[in-house]
Amino acid sequence: MRSMTGQSQEDVVPLTVSADLHQSVKKLMAGNDRYLRKLAQGAQEKAQEGDLRRRLSTMGQSPWCIVVSCSDSRCPVERLFDASPGDLFVIRVAGNICGSPVGGVIGSAEYGVEHLKSPVLMVLGHTKCGAVSAAVRCTKDGINPGENLSRNLGIVVGNIQAPAAEALQTLDRPETPDQIEHAIKLNVLYSMEQLLQTSTVMQQAVRTDQLQIQGGIYDITTGKVTFLGKHPRQNEILANSNAAVIRTGLDAPMPAPEVLKRLQQGNARYVIGHVDNKLVNMKMRQSLVQQGQRPMAIILGCADSRIALDHVFDTNPGDLFVVRNAGSVCGATSGGLIGSMEYGVGHLKAQMLVVLGHTSCGAVAAAMDAHLAKERSGDDVPDGLKALLERLAVPVKMAAAQCSSNALADKVALAIELNVWHTIEQLLANSKVMRDAVAAGSLQIQGGIYDLESGKVTFMGEHAQQSNFLQCADEHPSAMDNQQNGWNKGDGVTKRPASRARIISVPTAVVPTNSQKPLWTVEKRQEEQGSYFSHLAACIDFQPSWYVNTKHGKQHIKEVILDQNNWIAGVTVALVSVPLSISLGIASGTTPMRGVATAVFGGLCAGLFGSSDYNIVGPAGALSGMMMSYVVKYGEDCLPWISLISSVICALCALLRLDAYMLLMPTSVFEGFTVGVALIIGLNQINFACGLIPGEKHSLFVMNIIESIKTLGETKPASLIVFLLSAPTLWFLMRKVPKIPWTVILPVVSIPLGVLCDEGVLGFDLLTLKSKYGVLKPELVVPLKPSATFIDLLIPSFSVAIVAVLETLISAKIAAGRVDRDFNITGEMRGLVIAHAVCGATGAMAPTGVFVRTSLNTSLGATHRFSQTLNAVVVALISLALMPLFSYLPQATIAAILVVAAIRMTPVKYMIKLWGEDKGSLALCLVTALICVGEDPVIGLAVGMMIALLAAAKKMMKAPFVDITNKLVEDNKSAYRVVIKGALTYVNAETFIKQARKLPNASEVTLDLLGVRQLDHDSISALGKVVGLWVKENEDCKVKIKGVGGKQYNQLTKFDWFTKAECENRVELA
């Protein structure tokens, strides 16, 4: 996704005073300085004189700046710029949004520019913006604001989702304040972009230097405004701004990548209910008449009345050239359809053609029904369906034959997708105009599926065998020409060919596409007649071949393997993984080779059997501290057995869907666990950093640290000096130049030093890996040896499984957020289960997903999990070839790498945020970390989650969930309405009884359960008890129960008090 700013987060710097800066901007900056001084001095707001008010009322206003700001009550715009009445024309709206649905904002701003002649417009965001925070949360959790919020509030939040999504992709650490703060900055720039794109008044004013549009961010804590200056892509936006209004024949053809981006953006707006207001007026219609059309795309869609394509892509008149028929089919005899699209390509110069199928397609479903009926009973196809079934015969037959599911819906879903690919084939086979345009690069043909329920369009990419079609056309153009539009000419009579080939060289799924299975097959074409098609069969390799899903759509595995992005990512991550795997093997209390073997086999299994295209699986710091404690207690031979047992536990988690519950963890607890693991990793390096040889080992981590401290007097100066030079240098370089793999460079630099010291050339006593392990042998597979009993290892295995599941799914989720490409949790769990089993069987240790290497993999542009497989293979090759050389790696270098890794994984910014916003959560984070260090990481997790659950239950008990209102009726009696909202469970049942039991002088009570989301046995019993008390304490009191939903009704009917009320007709269902 292209950045809206065109710059990284660090590129946007505060604005400084310069000669070309407008005077009004300087006045804003000076006013804010005065405001800050007054805050510091404790001065009161300056008094407004009466004559100023009178002058403004009689002479009108002439503000020197327009400010579009957030509605937040903490942002006093006039005060923070120390402005007087008449100085600022202030427009305020939640989230300072300027998208075109908010016509009042743009119209107000245009009034300030055109009529009040204000020379500067400032879009002013602010820190800790609630609207931006909501957009970030919705985007992170995959929530559609259009469905989960009120319509108008959903529009506000939806308007901010684009900058929120970019912020999440830019900064991948979960739940950090940086994401929200960066989203606030991007939202300001996005609003500026909206003004420049959608307002012709402002476009003209900016072009003629009558207006400057500036951005700024107000810090509600300090009061300071950071001025961001003009939009960094202002000139580019203005150059393309005409296309944002309406396209005519005067516009240049829009490149296919830009078209795809606009279609995706328009559909995204449609999905969340945030569509642009189409202010098409007479002037625009006249432009289309007088200047002609230049559509950005051709859409071949279905005639289904439920699909309004202009709405689906949120486009203007003049944007789309639309061709439609039932089933969006196109065959050799579809001259009218093909001719229409050729007109769009050849004359209107459209560079994008989308063949769009849709879910629940009636045409495909009818064709499938007819085909299956004919197969079952030999019934003839109804006359009304014969023509349609003939057009849909190939995809329908293939879907029926190849779909492993017997469900009709699954067969239809597969046929819908295959029909899209088949239609693209027919276009290429029957239109020379389109073939030539595709070959010349002036046309791109994409497939897509529109989901009727969600409104989302999934773009599937170009036809996988497109290049083969074009190659055949180049080699046999005459054969193509003879088949143009599917007609053979002879004897002066135009006839259809006796036999037409039906080419399905597209990926055809073994199972329905929504199953997300990775394997695809290609059907072998039966022998057909006709010169062109006979040669086409020879051109295309019809042997079974593999297709996979990548971020570019479906691609042949050959394309994936040859993609240089996957090679760059795989090899680079491997170079980083080797020293880290060695280090983490040592940190786990075992040999370096066991850490490397975990990277190899864990990575291979994740790449071959997992779901995420980016998640790197291998040895991880989160498990190393736990492994160390188990090694001390049971010996290092226990690690493979723990991996084998944990694979079974992970499989049970997947089968019982317990993985979903594991993710229900407060961020403070997870980050506390991270802090604890970081402390364990860092403090564990005392021995290597100081060149110590510790004595007795203990099962408790703290006792081992005490043993290391006791031997500090034996510190080897050479080791300590290498550590003190390496660790700060590595940390500094990784922070300042993060794109260079310094964890690879440091070992390369250090190994010669280790060799020289080992040979006695330098005369230093520098401990290396050889000092502890001897010469490292490149043995990836180690036979299993007897260790502790199954019962002894069950709890450690359970602990490892929990952490592995958490780390793997969170790592995959982070990667999915960065590249906007989701993964299948079941598939990822499958890969993890197999990885644990294989690592255990080969004598390695339990692997898990790793954040840092996953982040590196995504940033290097990997497109498919082939990069993970390649990473594992390269790690294996490096270790087999060079592992003896790694024997001379200084132990102090290993310590430096792990200490820096521990520092970098510590969520310092998150804890600083908690200090300012929620000290209770900070305390929970630190308690979790202390227990992880002092006792055991999993015990720390368990205790942290238990404290969090108890705290949540306490808050739930105190939260207002009962609303009681009353009105007086006759004889001082009252009619009460008791409304319950949210969940009523054992947690707050007693609180409900206390709040609702006494209703003085009640003659009538209406118990409204419409807002109740959850009930349990205790809460239903509490309801019955309260209803009984109302009747008992108030004679002749009538109790009605309203808003009972289906699920609640089934629960309530099991209780006598409710069935009695139902028999007395006192129950109204929702």
Side-chain angles (χ1 to χ4, degrees):
M1 173 176 162
R2 180 177 179 178
S3 170
M4 286 174 287
T5 64
Q7 299 182 347
S8 67
Q9 182 186 11
E10 291 79 8
D11 290 334
V12 181
V13 297
L15 185 67
T16 57
V17 177
S18 59
D20 65 337
L21 202 61
H22 196 281
Q23 187 64 29
S24 294
V25 182
K26 296 178 182 178
K27 289 169 73 174
L28 286 175
M29 299 173 79
N32 183 241
D33 287 339
R34 293 195 302 275
Y35 172 68
L36 292 172
R37 288 198 298 272
K38 287 188 177 184
L39 284 180
Q41 298 167 3
Q44 298 296 318
E45 183 180 359
K46 66 179 182 180
Q48 303 296 327
E49 297 181 0
D51 61 341
L52 175 59
R53 291 192 295 270
R54 287 191 294 272
R55 187 166 63 250
L56 289 171
S57 65
T58 56
M59 300 178 63
Q61 59 177 318
S62 181
W64 43 264
C65 184
I66 304 165
V67 180
V68 179
S69 176
C70 182
S71 302
D72 197 298
S73 61
R74 298 168 293 178
C75 302
V77 176
E78 287 86 353
R79 287 191 63 189
L80 65 93
F81 290 118
D82 194 29
S84 300
D87 287 348
L88 303 180
F89 187 78
V90 180
I91 306 163
R92 299 184 67 169
V93 62
N96 47 273
I97 59 174
C98 296
S100 51
V102 194
V105 173
I106 295 180
S108 301
E110 288 182 345
Y111 175 79
V113 173
E114 193 168 29
H115 295 280
L116 302 180
K117 307 299 181 185
S118 297
V120 167
L121 188 151
M122 164 73 72
V123 178
L124 185 66
H126 68 91
T127 58
K128 305 187 187 304
C129 179
V132 177
S133 299
V136 170
R137 286 195 300 271
C138 285
T139 305
K140 183 188 290 288
D141 298 335
I143 296 173
N144 184 344
E147 296 177 356
N148 293 273
L149 302 173
S150 67
R151 179 183 181 278
N152 295 314
L153 183 56
I155 288 176
V156 172
V157 176
N159 226 306
I160 309 173
Q161 280 203 298
E166 184 174 341
L168 291 173
Q169 289 182 12
T170 306
L171 304 173
D172 63 350
R173 189 170 186 83
E175 299 292 343
T176 65
D178 286 349
Q179 290 177 332
I180 294 176
E181 296 307 312
H182 189 39
I184 288 168
K185 184 180 296 184
L186 292 178
N187 185 45
V188 169
L189 295 165
Y190 185 68
S191 294
M192 296 165 67
E193 184 173 345
Q194 293 294 306
L195 292 173
L196 288 166
Q197 280 185 339
T198 59
S199 173
T200 54
V201 170
M202 278 178 261
Q203 291 166 10
Q204 181 63 23
V206 172
R207 287 190 180 107
T208 56
D209 293 328
Q210 296 176 22
L211 176 68
Q212 283 188 10
I213 298 181
Q214 301 270 341
I217 297 177
Y218 167 62
D219 190 319
I220 64 173
T221 303
T222 65
K224 181 175 178 57
V225 173
T226 300
F227 291 82
L228 303 179
K230 301 177 185 178
H231 196 292
R233 294 195 298 111
Q234 177 174 291
N235 292 337
E236 178 186 343
I237 294 169
L238 289 174
N240 297 325
S241 61
N242 287 336
V245 180
I246 201 160
R247 291 184 58 79
T248 71
L250 299 181
D251 288 298
M254 188 179 293
E258 179 65 20
V259 175
L260 182 60
K261 176 183 175 183
R262 294 213 179 186
L263 292 176
Q264 289 172 331
Q265 290 175 343
N267 180 244
R269 293 194 298 270
Y270 173 73
V271 168
I272 65 175
H274 160 216
V275 293
D276 289 345
N277 288 340
K278 305 302 179 189
L279 302 176
V280 180
N281 51 36
M282 178 65 73
K283 183 178 179 181
M284 291 181 177
R285 287 192 291 270
Q286 288 175 345
S287 297
L288 287 170
V289 172
Q290 296 167 3
Q291 300 168 8
Q293 59 175 317
R294 183 75 71 212
M296 63 180 182
I298 303 167
I299 309 290
L300 172 57
C302 183
D304 196 303
S305 62
R306 297 168 291 180
I307 308 170
L309 290 172
D310 289 320
H311 289 263
V312 167
F313 295 111
D314 192 25
T315 52
N316 286 314
D319 283 345
L320 301 181
F321 187 82
V322 179
V323 181
R324 299 176 68 168
N325 68 357
S328 55
V329 296
C330 185
T333 59
S334 304
L337 286 174
I338 292 178
S340 299
M341 287 180 277
E342 287 182 346
Y343 173 78
V345 173
H347 183 71
L348 300 180
K349 308 299 182 186
Q351 297 190 7
M352 170 68 76
L353 191 157
V354 178
V355 177
L356 188 68
H358 68 91
T359 60
S360 304
C361 180
V364 177
M368 180 64 74
D369 279 336
H371 170 73
L372 295 177
K374 186 176 181 180
E375 280 194 335
R376 284 193 302 267
S377 58
D379 295 342
D380 289 335
V381 178
D383 292 339
L385 288 176
K386 282 184 178 179
L388 181 62
L389 181 57
E390 183 180 350
R391 292 287 176 85
L392 292 168
V394 174
V396 165
K397 288 179 181 178
M398 291 189 65
Q402 296 186 12
C403 182
S404 63
S405 170
N406 291 323
L408 177 62
D410 291 337
K411 295 180 185 292
V412 171
L414 178 56
I416 288 168
E417 181 172 350
L418 295 182
N419 182 46
V420 170
W421 297 121
H422 183 240
T423 299
I424 294 176
E425 284 187 341
Q426 294 300 307
L427 292 176
L428 290 170
N430 294 291
S431 173
K432 185 175 186 303
V433 171
M434 281 184 257
R435 286 198 308 273
D436 291 347
V438 171
S442 60
L443 176 66
Q444 188 178 113
I445 303 180
Q446 286 252 355
I449 301 289
Y450 170 68
D451 190 308
L452 282 178
E453 185 172 350
S454 69
K456 183 176 181 179
V457 173
T458 299
F459 290 89
M460 301 188 296
E462 297 177 272
H463 194 295
Q465 292 286 353
Q466 177 175 283
S467 59
N468 291 326
F469 279 99
L470 300 178
Q471 180 183 351
C472 290
D474 289 339
E475 294 178 7
H476 286 262
S478 59
M480 280 284 193
D481 292 340
N482 290 336
Q483 292 291 330
Q484 179 68 21
N485 293 327
W487 298 91
N488 283 336
K489 297 182 180 180
D491 301 327
V493 180
T494 302
K495 301 178 181 178
R496 290 178 58 185
S499 175
R500 292 197 313 279
R502 295 179 174 94
I503 310 300
I504 292 290
S505 55
V506 298
T508 57
V510 180
V511 293
T513 54
N514 57 9
S515 67
Q516 297 191 13
K517 297 281 185 174
L519 306 182
W520 296 77
T521 62
V522 174
E523 183 187 55
K524 190 178 183 197
R525 175 185 173 275
Q526 300 298 322
E527 184 176 353
E528 300 281 355
Q529 299 176 2
S531 59
Y532 157 64
F533 292 110
S534 298
H535 180 68
L536 183 61
C539 285
I540 301 177
D541 178 12
F542 282 95
Q543 296 304 313
S545 54
W546 294 83
Y547 284 82
V548 293
N549 288 313
T550 73
K551 72 177 183 181
H552 299 314
K554 291 183 180 66
Q555 290 184 289
H556 194 284
I557 192 64
K558 180 179 178 181
E559 295 180 66
V560 175
I561 293 174
L562 295 179
D563 191 333
Q564 64 175 359
N565 290 321
N566 288 324
W567 280 86
I568 293 172
V571 173
T572 304
V573 172
L575 292 174
V576 173
S577 294
V578 172
L580 279 178
S581 300
I582 291 173
S583 304
L584 291 169
I586 295 168
S588 301
T590 186
T591 63
M593 270 313 297
R594 185 163 270 156
V596 173
T598 304
V600 172
F601 295 116
L604 276 175
C605 293
L608 294 174
F609 304 106
S611 170
S612 171
D613 281 330
Y614 310 98
N615 201 12
I616 299 296
V617 172
L623 290 176
S624 62
M626 301 164 60
M627 300 290 195
M628 172 65 81
S629 63
Y630 304 147
V631 168
V632 170
K633 194 170 184 179
Y634 304 113
E636 66 174 297
D637 292 327
C638 74
L639 296 181
W641 295 105
I642 288 176
S643 186
L644 283 171
I645 299 171
S646 66
S647 72
V648 177
I649 296 171
C650 289
L652 290 174
C653 286
L655 290 173
L656 300 176
R657 296 311 311 270
L658 298 179
D659 48 277
Y661 296 99
M662 290 182 182
L663 292 175
L664 297 176
M665 178 187 300
T667 305
S668 55
V669 173
F670 182 77
E671 295 293 18
F673 169 78
T674 304
V675 172
V677 170
L679 286 171
I680 292 171
I681 293 174
L683 293 174
N684 248 335
Q685 306 316 308
I686 293 176
N687 295 333
F688 272 18
C690 298
L692 304 176
I693 301 177
E696 183 182 358
K697 287 188 176 182
H698 305 271
S699 58
L700 278 179
F701 167 75
V702 175
M703 297 304 298
N704 288 321
I705 297 303
I706 293 174
E707 288 290 337
S708 297
I709 293 173
K710 289 178 180 178
T711 60
L712 282 177
E714 302 171 12
T715 297
K716 292 180 171 52
S719 294
L720 183 60
I721 291 171
V722 170
F723 172 78
L724 292 177
L725 289 176
S726 300
T729 303
L730 180 61
W731 177 84
F732 177 80
L733 292 173
M734 292 180 71
R735 186 177 178 85
K736 295 299 181 182
V737 195
K739 293 185 178 180
I740 297 177
W742 296 108
T743 52
V744 177
I745 295 174
L746 181 60
V748 171
V749 173
S750 302
I751 287 175
L753 180 63
V755 172
L756 293 174
C757 290
D758 185 74
E759 297 293 332
V761 175
L762 298 180
F764 299 147
D765 187 8
L766 180 64
L767 295 183
T768 62
L769 295 183
K770 181 183 176 183
S771 307
K772 184 172 183 178
Y773 303 101
V775 176
L776 299 178
K777 298 179 180 179
E779 298 175 345
L780 291 176
V781 179
V782 178
L784 295 177
K785 297 179 181 178
S787 183
T789 65
F790 173 80
I791 299 300
D792 289 334
L793 297 180
L794 186 59
I795 297 300
S797 301
F798 183 75
S799 304
V800 167
I802 290 176
V803 176
V805 170
L806 280 173
E807 292 274 312
T808 301
L809 295 184
I810 291 174
S811 179
K813 187 176 180 181
I814 291 173
R818 292 196 66 179
V819 296
D820 193 24
R821 176 166 166 74
D822 207 356
F823 69 100
N824 183 281
I825 292 180
T826 302
E828 198 65 7
M829 287 293 294
R830 177 183 63 232
L832 184 66
V833 169
I834 296 173
H836 275 232
V838 171
C839 284
T842 56
M845 57 187 185
T848 184
V850 284
F851 299 159
V852 176
R853 279 161 277 174
T854 297
S855 177
L856 179 62
N857 191 39
T858 58
S859 65
L860 291 171
T863 67
H864 183 260
R865 55 183 179 277
F866 169 71
S867 65
Q868 305 174 42
T869 308
L870 181 63
N871 154 60
V873 172
V874 174
V875 169
L877 293 176
I878 292 175
S879 61
L880 291 173
L882 301 176
M883 191 51 64
L885 191 60
F886 280 99
S887 305
Y888 298 96
L889 186 62
Q891 294 181 11
T893 300
I894 297 290
I897 292 173
L898 289 173
V899 166
V900 171
I903 293 172
R904 288 173 62 83
M905 71 186 292
T906 305
V908 177
K909 290 184 178 179
Y910 175 75
M911 291 192 290
I912 293 173
K913 177 188 176 185
L914 289 185
W915 174 260
E917 297 177 357
D918 189 351
K919 290 184 174 61
S921 294
L922 177 61
L924 178 59
C925 176
L926 295 177
V927 167
T928 303
L930 289 174
I931 297 175
C932 288
V933 174
E935 185 61 36
D936 181 87
V938 173
I939 293 177
L941 265 181
V943 172
M945 290 183 69
M946 184 63 68
I947 295 173
L949 287 172
L950 292 174
K954 184 177 180 182
K955 288 181 181 178
M956 187 176 175
M957 290 174 60
K958 294 183 177 181
F961 64 97
V962 181
D963 184 18
I964 302 176
T965 58
N966 70 303
K967 63 179 179 179
L968 290 174
V969 291
E970 298 178 353
D971 301 326
N972 292 323
K973 294 288 186 177
S974 295
Y976 287 88
R977 183 179 182 86
V978 179
V979 180
I980 305 175
K981 299 178 181 178
L984 181 61
T985 65
Y986 72 94
V987 175
N988 54 357
E990 286 300 320
T991 305
F992 167 70
I993 294 174
K994 292 177 182 179
Q995 291 181 357
R997 64 179 299 166
K998 292 189 176 181
L999 301 179
N1001 302 319
S1003 62
E1004 180 181 326
V1005 180
T1006 300
L1007 178 61
D1008 192 339
L1009 302 180
L1010 184 61
V1012 176
R1013 297 197 309 271
Q1014 182 182 354
L1015 291 171
D1016 62 10
H1017 184 277
D1018 288 7
S1019 62
I1020 296 175
S1021 299
L1023 286 172
K1025 181 177 181 179
V1026 169
V1027 169
L1029 289 171
W1030 291 340
V1031 175
K1032 180 180 179 181
E1033 296 179 5
N1034 299 278
E1035 287 188 33
D1036 301 324
C1037 178
K1038 298 178 181 178
V1039 179
K1040 296 181 180 178
I1041 306 169
K1042 297 181 63 176
V1044 180
K1047 183 178 179 181
Q1048 285 81 10
Y1049 178 79
N1050 293 333
Q1051 292 178 279
L1052 290 165
T1053 51
K1054 299 175 183 177
F1055 290 77
D1056 292 339
W1057 68 268
F1058 182 80
T1059 54
K1060 180 182 178 182
E1062 191 174 22
C1063 292
E1064 297 172 356
N1065 294 321
R1066 292 187 286 110
V1067 174
E1068 293 183 20
L1069 301 182

